[in-house]
Amino acid sequence: MKHWIEAARLRTLPLSVSGIIVGSIYALSNPTETINTPTEVFSWKVFGFALLTTLGLQVLSNFANDYGDGVKGTDNADRVGPQRAIQSGVITPQAMKKAIIITSFLTLLSAIILIYFAFGKDNFGYSIFFLLLGIAAIASAIKYTVGNSAYGYRGFGDLFVFIFFGLVSTLGVNFLYAKEVDPLLILPAVAIGLLSVGVLNLNNMRDQESDKKSGKNTIVVQIGAQKAKNYHFFLIITAMVLVVVFAILSDYNFDQYLFVLAYIPLTKHLITVYKNQDPKLLDPELKKLALSTFLLSILLTVCMISLISDIIVNLFLGGR
């Protein structure tokens, strides 16, 4: 059990749910024209299964990454980060393959239940669309490193992380509640997507030399260490700016800018990356950036809600 927990890489899980939290609380704090109260738009069932589905996708991605890099030999003695399960031999490729199949099935089942709670027997078109989206997310989680056509080995990992853990996570879950897309929510969705890509980019910066030797052509391998740093600065700083723009366009009061507290660890992270000369020392920054993103999502959702206590009381007394 210990080895399976390590293979699931728990430190990546808070990052994966950041978009779900922001998209859900935005729906709670911004009722639509046809849904006038928070308790009408928000559903604990949708929220719970959205979290469960996203966590399933993240664990599936971690298992598949362990399997794909393990059987290809990418995880070897040259790798800087902690040893993976297959690399160290504590889990066999056959056992990991079974775990990928089981996790895929459970994640798809969770997605189906989520879609049912969101749309019921109505909105059949929406149900089909989100079902296909869920299947695409599962396939993307697996194909990142698994198979001869693994897109992570061709430098497309950043794009897929941005789409699924930024746009789909935030805008998708919000649509499950509101049944419409709010253009303003695109700003924090893009920000979370960029920060998620930042975590992947940091991972690739750390593993640049071993990835290059193994033929894993990540963006970092393609553009080199210095340009990868510049790319990293662009990702993090742009995300920070977008959230501020979101707050301005949302007419936040002064006390609703609490989320800027998360900019302190993000700024310290950027300084560390700027000064870094040894890729091995970037490994602790992965956890810091992931947790800073999660902190930003929590603080931002707190800032979204006015009369927090009244809304919470309404949810527990009258929520579904």
Side-chain angles (χ1 to χ4, degrees):
M1 182 59 67
K2 173 186 175 183
H3 298 315
W4 284 110
I5 292 175
E6 291 174 349
R9 297 184 226 169
L10 298 185
R11 68 178 183 177
T12 65
L13 300 187
L15 175 68
S16 66
V17 300
S18 296
I20 298 297
I21 294 172
V22 171
S24 296
I25 301 304
Y26 187 81
L28 172 64
S29 59
N30 290 272
T32 67
E33 292 181 2
T34 57
I35 304 175
N36 298 312
T37 65
T39 53
E40 287 179 343
V41 71
F42 191 83
S43 166
W44 287 111
K45 293 177 181 178
V46 171
F47 182 62
F49 276 95
L51 288 176
L52 189 62
T53 302
T54 302
L55 291 173
L57 285 171
Q58 183 63 63
V59 171
L60 174 61
S61 178
N62 292 339
F63 284 169
N65 187 236
D66 198 308
Y67 177 82
D69 284 344
V71 298
K72 287 184 170 104
T74 306
D75 289 338
N76 50 48
D78 294 325
R79 186 174 178 275
V80 177
Q83 279 197 333
R84 302 272 176 79
I86 291 179
Q87 176 191 5
S88 62
V90 296
I91 296 177
T92 65
Q94 294 77 13
M96 187 62 78
K97 191 173 183 179
K98 290 180 181 178
I100 290 172
I101 295 172
I102 293 172
T103 307
S104 297
F105 172 77
L106 293 176
T107 303
L108 180 60
L109 179 61
S110 177
I112 292 172
I113 296 174
L114 168 62
I115 292 168
Y116 176 77
F117 281 140
F119 301 118
K121 298 179 181 179
D122 302 323
N123 300 308
F124 180 74
Y126 290 157
S127 297
I128 293 298
F129 174 77
F130 274 88
L131 177 60
L132 293 176
L133 193 62
I135 294 173
I138 291 171
S140 296
I142 296 173
K143 292 298 291 181
Y144 174 59
T145 59
V146 175
N148 296 328
S149 59
Y151 62 85
Y153 280 71
R154 294 181 291 170
F156 292 110
D158 297 49
L159 177 61
F160 279 80
V161 166
F162 175 74
I163 291 173
F164 285 103
F165 288 99
L167 301 183
V168 172
S169 178
T170 310
L171 296 175
V173 74
N174 182 262
F175 191 90
L176 294 177
Y177 299 108
K179 311 301 184 293
E180 64 182 32
V181 176
D182 189 329
L184 189 58
L185 188 60
I186 294 175
L187 294 173
V190 170
I192 291 173
L194 293 176
L195 291 170
S196 299
V197 173
V199 175
L200 177 60
N201 183 62
L202 197 64
N203 180 84
N204 293 339
M205 289 169 66
R206 181 198 65 187
D207 296 339
Q208 180 184 1
E209 292 303 319
S210 62
D211 285 345
K212 187 175 182 180
K213 291 179 181 179
S214 303
K216 188 175 183 180
N217 294 314
T218 63
I219 287 181
V220 175
V221 171
Q222 294 177 33
I223 67 177
Q226 186 54 52
K227 289 184 178 179
K229 276 189 177 183
N230 296 335
Y231 173 52
H232 195 72
F233 300 149
F234 166 78
L235 293 171
I236 308 304
I237 295 173
T238 302
M240 294 165 68
V241 171
L242 287 177
V243 177
V244 172
V245 173
F246 168 76
I248 293 173
L249 295 179
S250 299
D251 293 325
Y252 277 11
N253 297 321
F254 178 77
D255 59 350
Q256 289 181 286
Y257 282 82
L258 179 68
F259 65 84
V260 298
L261 291 176
Y263 288 12
I264 297 173
L266 286 173
T267 302
K268 291 177 64 176
H269 163 73
L270 289 176
I271 294 172
T272 300
V273 173
Y274 177 77
K275 295 180 178 180
N276 177 263
Q277 299 297 326
D278 184 359
K280 294 181 181 180
L281 301 180
L282 290 175
D283 187 65
E285 293 301 310
L286 283 163
K287 182 178 180 180
K288 293 178 183 178
L289 180 55
L291 290 178
S292 296
T293 303
F294 180 67
L295 174 63
L296 176 61
S297 69
I298 294 296
L299 293 178
L300 182 59
T301 55
V302 170
C303 296
M304 285 180 183
I305 302 175
S306 58
L307 301 176
I308 297 174
S309 59
D310 290 342
I311 290 178
I312 291 176
V313 168
N314 286 333
L315 282 175
F316 278 104
L317 295 180
R320 287 168 284 168

